[in-house]
Amino acid sequence: MADSTSNSDSGLLGKISADPASQQIPVEISFEIIRLFSEGLYQSPHKAIEELVSNSFDAGAKSARIITPRSKSEDPLGADSLWVIDNGSGMDEEGFARLWRVAESTKSADSTVQGRRPIGQFGIGKLAAYVLAWRLTHISKVGEYYYYASMDFKKVEGKRQNDPNAGPVSLELHIVEEDEARDLLEEVQAKDPKAWDMMFGAKAAPTWTAAALSDFKTLFEKFRPGVLSWVMRTGLPLASDFKIFLNGEELRSAKEDAVVLKDFKIGGPSDKAAQKLGIETTATGILIPGIEGEITGNATLYEKPLITGKSLQYGRSNGFFIRVRGRVINLEQELFGLETLNLAVWHRFKMEVHADGLRTHLLSSREGVRASDALEQFRDYLRAKFNEARVVYTAENKEKLVGFDLKLLLKEGSPSILADPLVAAIQNAVVQAQQPSHYITAPSHLDEDERAEWIEEFSRDVMEQPFLDVQIRDMGAYDRLAEYDAKTRILYINQEHPFVAKIMAHSKNQTPATLFATSEVLTDAFLREGGISPEITAEVFALRDRALRQIAGDYGPDAAEVLRHLSIADQNKDALEKAVGQAFLVLGFQYERRGGNRGGADGILDARLGRGENKLEDFRIVYDAKTTAGSSIPVDKVHFDALWDFIHEESADFGFFIGKKFDGQDKDDSSVNRRTALGRVDRPMTVMLTAQLRRLVELHYQFGVTLNQIRELFTSALTVKEVEKWLDALESSFRETQQPVPLKKLLRGIEREKGDIKSQPNVYAVRATDPRLRGYEPAKLIAALQAVQTIVGSRWLEVNPASGDVRMSHTADSIITEVDRRLQDDLGLPAVPDDPES
């Protein structure tokens, strides 16, 4: 063999003798493609090593043995290699030639090796070595021959395919004697004697391959044996016919010691998730059109979280593990594309899914899946399966979840300390028909005899047990943090309240939140027992709620703050995303913030209108907030196709872009307006300005904009000019063709309705008894009250947009006075117009 031991050819290559009969193996790809492709696919040293083990599996090996280099303190010269040795089918001349046909896989979908279907698909796994080391060496035995080849990536650095000034890229394949093979592998003998015996012992495997990485790159500094162990145990099939050893120790499939609460089998007659979604089941799995074959597996709910201990250091043990031919394809995507799920259950949930039919859906990295209707149905099933576990967890672990038994509250003390103030508060609200308490609700539709009987029963029961139950539920981010329902003696805790959410996020269980909510309810009761008026207590708790929100870092949709945020948020995307969401909260929408690192839309806006005459009138909007350091947003930052995908993914009715200013927004033939016009028929999306949203909010504060009117905006206006024209027409309608809502008359009518203890004050009822109010649509009156609610806060006034029910904690005149103060002082807007007929 020609000179084979230059200065750069140290280590394994320097140990072989001259071999003039060596064969040249062409590497049919340029160095530049090797670099870009491998560095793009593999950014983890452990995933790169996994690819070498995947090749062992695909070679039909019964075992693969990984031997890692010594630490720098033990091996300062870095002479050690990283080995992956298997007893698979081995490689001869043709095998080595196939190995280096990069991106041309010989592993067909139906091929098998020793009865095993391959994991690999694209023939690029060996390139994973490039991100870790400059040299990749293979030594393989087939029959009586030992084959040796070593790829030195440094020699091809800078070479490009079809470059006339560069020679072909190839490596030499040598046939060596057994003693030379032993010499090449002598490092293995001391580190893993069993690996040595597998190759050269009395019962040596007839075929085997040893792959070695050496001359390591910077990425290898991130290598950790513990992490590699987790990747191997979790990411590859550790079946009975394929064992993996790391530095001589067998890696066994992780068997969590945690107590199993329940298993949920995929398929079969008891698969509630499949039944709910109309998915066909078999005795052992499910069938989804578009995904070939049966999908099988099992979900498990554990008593304790799976994220404690070493799992936090080495990797996850919970979540979805989607396997294609045994290999997990979503090691680093535990949610598999789903939205964030309930964390308390998620940390205790593990689902193993075998879906070989996803093979044809895989991206080239084998760590992503192409979008399709079949994939969305598959994800819907995963979500439904998780929700099955969530129901079980909530039911079976309620007492542990709360953290303590409320029955113990009175065990060491006098029951009257807690019961007396609750009884007094209820008597004030029910018997004396005063304003309701901030946190405490009681029956209001009782006649005199019924009230006396109910109070007697409540007083007796509350002395035995003031709190019958605690329930954590979603009450809205801007509702009270708790509610005590005297009729059921249930304490409801609002987990969407920012302060409660902050407490729960930093607690092991819900005990702190429960104790805090209990103290709040009792404080409310003590104030009422002490004779403090409902108006004063309502104001105190409103101020307290604002303070708690500030402590938690959430200020709520205060009238002045929302408009101020819209004015200053243009330079910060996160601030703009939130400001837009808060503005739509003010307009009466429900708001779910997205954005961040989750991908997809920046926010989801839901209008809850209920069912109309013929159909459900609810609608959903998604939006994408745009910022720029320049004077305007260029059209290449406005991704229409992406927004349309978000609309489809979220089942939304409308979508819009929002920003300070867009390039060419005032020119009909500009790029942004031409692109908007192209989708007018089949993909309508709106482009609007933050100033226009601010104007819409101002109109809502002054006149009350209905949700149906906002639907009309997104139905008819797409460009910035069209949005401005629509706003002009709306304001003209408000100021010229339609009189403002007689707000004082409406509020005083509701105040009169409060005197009827058998009736809940309601917009529809007030409208029906007043000729002037009948001149306005109910939706218009409700929108006006919602505007008032967003100005003064729900503790002053709260309206249910679906039913029209209203809860007033202050008099009509005090509410009007507060509205005037905030409109003029905080916003600089006109006061509520005088209503002489009121």
Side-chain angles (χ1 to χ4, degrees), residues 23-35 96-104 123 126-127 130 136 138 149-153 155-157 159-162 166-173:
Q23 176 181 338
Q24 297 295 317
I25 300 293
V27 180
E28 299 174 352
I29 195 168
S30 72
F31 169 81
E32 189 68 14
I33 295 177
I34 291 175
R35 181 180 68 80
F96 273 92
R98 288 198 305 268
L99 175 71
W100 287 102
R101 289 174 191 159
V102 181
E104 182 184 331
K126 77 283 290 180
L127 295 188
Y130 173 77
L136 171 62
H138 287 91
S150 187
M151 179 62 168
D152 181 3
F153 291 108
K155 287 188 174 182
V156 296
E157 186 173 12
K159 290 183 181 291
R160 297 177 181 274
Q161 201 165 18
N162 301 321
V169 178
S170 63
L171 55 85
E172 292 182 345
L173 175 65

Side-chain angles (χ1 to χ4, degrees), residues 706-749:
T706 68
L707 294 175
N708 278 322
Q709 286 173 318
I710 295 174
R711 189 212 306 268
E712 180 188 330
L713 163 64
F714 290 105
T715 301
S716 60
L718 300 185
T719 67
V720 170
K721 290 175 67 175
E722 290 171 352
V723 172
E724 192 69 20
K725 183 177 179 181
W726 185 90
L727 288 170
D728 288 342
L730 180 67
E731 184 170 2
S732 176
S733 171
F734 284 149
R735 298 190 184 281
E736 299 174 10
T737 64
Q738 178 177 316
Q739 293 296 316
V741 170
L743 195 55
K744 294 179 180 179
K745 177 179 282 293
L746 177 59
L747 287 170
R748 287 168 181 163

Side-chain angles (χ1 to χ4, degrees), residues 616-833:
L616 193 67
E617 298 293 339
D618 296 352
F619 63 95
R620 169 173 282 192
I621 307 173
V622 300
Y623 69 88
D624 190 2
K626 296 295 181 183
T627 57
T628 180
S631 59
S632 59
I633 300 163
V635 70
D636 60 6
K637 289 187 65 177
V638 185
H639 305 298
F640 286 90
D641 290 339
L643 183 61
W644 184 255
D645 287 342
F646 301 157
I647 294 172
H648 176 73
E649 290 171 7
E650 300 293 345
S651 300
D653 301 276
F654 307 103
F656 69 92
F657 298 98
I658 187 165
K660 182 179 181 180
K661 184 179 180 181
F662 294 86
D663 280 355
Q665 64 185 35
D666 299 323
K667 299 179 180 179
D668 293 338
D669 61 347
S670 67
S671 296
V672 68
N673 285 332
R674 288 201 309 272
R675 183 62 184 82
T676 304
L678 286 174
R680 187 173 295 277
V681 176
D682 59 338
R683 291 189 171 190
M685 289 168 275
T686 296
V687 179
M688 65 186 303
L689 308 181
T690 50
Q692 292 174 329
L693 178 56
R694 189 182 195 279
R695 183 181 175 191
L696 182 62
V697 173
E698 289 176 348
L699 289 174
H700 180 61
Y701 283 142
Q702 296 178 77
F703 300 98
V705 180
T706 68
L707 294 175
N708 278 322
Q709 286 173 318
I710 295 174
R711 189 212 306 268
E712 180 188 330
L713 163 64
F714 290 105
T715 301
S716 60
L718 300 185
T719 67
V720 170
K721 290 175 67 175
E722 290 171 352
V723 172
E724 192 69 20
K725 183 177 179 181
W726 185 90
L727 288 170
D728 288 342
L730 180 67
E731 184 170 2
S732 176
S733 171
F734 284 149
R735 298 190 184 281
E736 299 174 10
T737 64
Q738 178 177 316
Q739 293 296 316
V741 170
L743 195 55
K744 294 179 180 179
K745 177 179 282 293
L746 177 59
L747 287 170
R748 287 168 181 163
I750 292 170
E751 187 174 14
R752 286 192 298 271
E753 286 280 322
K754 288 176 60 180
D756 183 355
I757 62 173
K758 292 188 175 183
S759 173
Q760 172 74 34
N762 183 277
V763 171
Y764 292 92
V766 173
R767 176 179 178 273
T769 60
D770 189 290
R772 186 170 179 210
L773 293 178
R774 285 200 296 271
Y776 297 84
E777 295 180 359
K780 182 69 176 175
L781 300 177
I782 290 173
L785 290 180
Q786 284 183 292
V788 171
Q789 179 180 326
T790 59
I791 295 172
V792 300
S794 59
R795 298 283 60 81
W796 288 66
L797 176 79
E798 189 170 12
V799 59
N800 184 324
S803 65
D805 289 344
V806 181
R807 183 170 64 181
M808 289 177 61
S809 300
H810 296 260
T811 65
D813 289 341
S814 62
I815 291 174
I816 291 294
T817 300
E818 181 64 12
V819 170
D820 285 346
R821 184 185 70 79
R822 298 196 183 190
L823 283 176
Q824 296 178 39
D825 297 346
D826 295 346
L827 305 177
L829 298 175
V832 175

Side-chain angles (χ1 to χ4, degrees), residues 174-311:
H174 309 274
I175 299 178
V176 298
E177 300 297 330
E178 181 178 338
D179 60 343
E180 289 181 303
R182 288 173 176 266
D183 190 30
L184 289 165
L185 290 156
E186 65 176 350
E187 180 185 335
V188 174
Q189 186 175 15
K191 287 187 172 183
D192 190 344
K194 291 188 177 180
W196 182 266
D197 289 343
M198 185 178 73
M199 295 182 290
F200 302 110
K203 297 182 179 180
T207 57
W208 50 260
T209 298
L213 298 178
S214 55
D215 193 6
F216 295 104
K217 296 185 178 182
T218 303
L219 181 63
F220 194 73
E221 294 176 2
K222 297 181 179 180
F223 171 75
R224 299 291 183 272
V227 178
L228 178 62
S229 174
W230 175 81
V231 170
M232 294 295 103
R233 287 186 295 110
T234 309
L236 289 171
L238 301 180
S240 59
D241 66 341
F242 183 65
K243 297 182 178 180
I244 300 175
F245 298 83
L246 177 59
N247 293 327
E249 181 180 352
E250 183 177 354
L251 302 180
R252 300 183 182 275
S253 181
K255 302 290 185 182
E256 295 88 350
D257 295 329
V259 176
V260 174
L261 290 180
K262 189 169 182 179
D263 284 312
F264 305 85
K265 182 177 175 292
I266 294 179
S270 61
D271 192 336
K272 296 179 182 178
Q275 294 170 9
K276 181 179 178 181
L277 296 172
I279 293 175
E280 182 180 354
T281 62
T282 66
T284 56
I286 62 171
L287 301 174
I288 294 180
I291 299 178
E292 184 179 355
E294 191 179 35
I295 298 172
T296 62
N298 189 70
T300 306
L301 177 67
Y302 294 89
E303 182 181 43
K304 296 181 180 180
L306 302 174
I307 62 170
T308 56
K310 290 186 177 180
S311 64

Side-chain angles (χ1 to χ4, degrees), residues 418-660:
L418 302 180
D420 287 350
L422 288 173
V423 171
I426 294 302
Q427 287 177 331
N428 286 337
V430 177
V431 178
Q432 300 176 19
Q434 291 188 6
Q435 298 284 353
S437 296
H438 182 80
Y439 291 120
I440 304 170
T441 60
S444 58
H445 309 316
L446 302 175
D447 59 29
E448 187 173 347
D449 292 337
E450 290 172 330
R451 288 201 305 269
E453 182 180 350
W454 185 85
I455 285 290
E456 181 180 355
E457 182 181 354
F458 173 78
S459 301
R460 182 179 63 251
D461 292 342
V462 81
M463 288 296 291
E464 295 180 4
Q465 190 173 345
F467 299 91
L468 191 62
D469 193 11
V470 175
Q471 293 185 13
I472 309 295
R473 68 177 185 178
D474 297 338
M475 297 165 58
Y478 299 100
D479 202 342
R480 296 166 293 175
L481 64 83
E483 178 186 358
Y484 176 69
D485 185 345
K487 187 175 183 180
T488 61
R489 285 179 289 142
I490 294 177
L491 174 64
Y492 296 102
I493 301 176
N494 181 10
Q495 65 180 351
E496 291 188 304
H497 190 286
F499 191 79
V500 174
K502 183 78 74 174
I503 292 176
M504 294 177 64
H506 293 82
S507 305
K508 293 182 179 180
N509 54 40
Q510 295 170 0
T511 298
T514 303
L515 290 173
F516 182 79
T518 304
S519 68
E520 287 291 286
V521 169
L522 291 173
T523 300
D524 189 1
F526 283 129
L527 290 174
R528 297 303 295 268
E529 184 186 34
I532 307 299
S533 71
E535 289 79 12
I536 294 177
T537 58
E539 181 64 16
V540 168
F541 280 114
L543 293 173
R544 178 173 174 77
D545 187 75
R546 180 176 296 183
L548 292 175
R549 292 178 184 278
Q550 290 189 23
I551 292 171
D554 191 312
Y555 298 88
D558 177 82
E561 287 297 306
V562 167
L563 295 182
R564 186 176 67 83
H565 286 164
L566 282 175
S567 299
I568 65 176
D570 289 297
Q571 298 300 315
N572 183 290
K573 181 171 176 59
D574 288 340
L576 182 56
E577 290 171 8
K578 187 173 182 180
V580 172
Q582 288 184 325
F584 276 87
L585 274 170
V586 164
L587 293 169
F589 285 76
Q590 294 180 9
Y591 164 48
E592 179 184 350
R593 190 179 183 193
R594 296 289 180 86
N597 296 321
R598 297 178 57 183
D602 290 334
I604 310 297
L605 309 168
D606 281 299
R608 303 298 189 191
L609 294 170
R611 181 165 293 280
E613 293 183 2
N614 300 312
K615 63 178 181 178
L616 193 67
E617 298 293 339
D618 296 352
F619 63 95
R620 169 173 282 192
I621 307 173
V622 300
Y623 69 88
D624 190 2
K626 296 295 181 183
T627 57
T628 180
S631 59
S632 59
I633 300 163
V635 70
D636 60 6
K637 289 187 65 177
V638 185
H639 305 298
F640 286 90
D641 290 339
L643 183 61
W644 184 255
D645 287 342
F646 301 157
I647 294 172
H648 176 73
E649 290 171 7
E650 300 293 345
S651 300
D653 301 276
F654 307 103
F656 69 92
F657 298 98
I658 187 165
K660 182 179 181 180

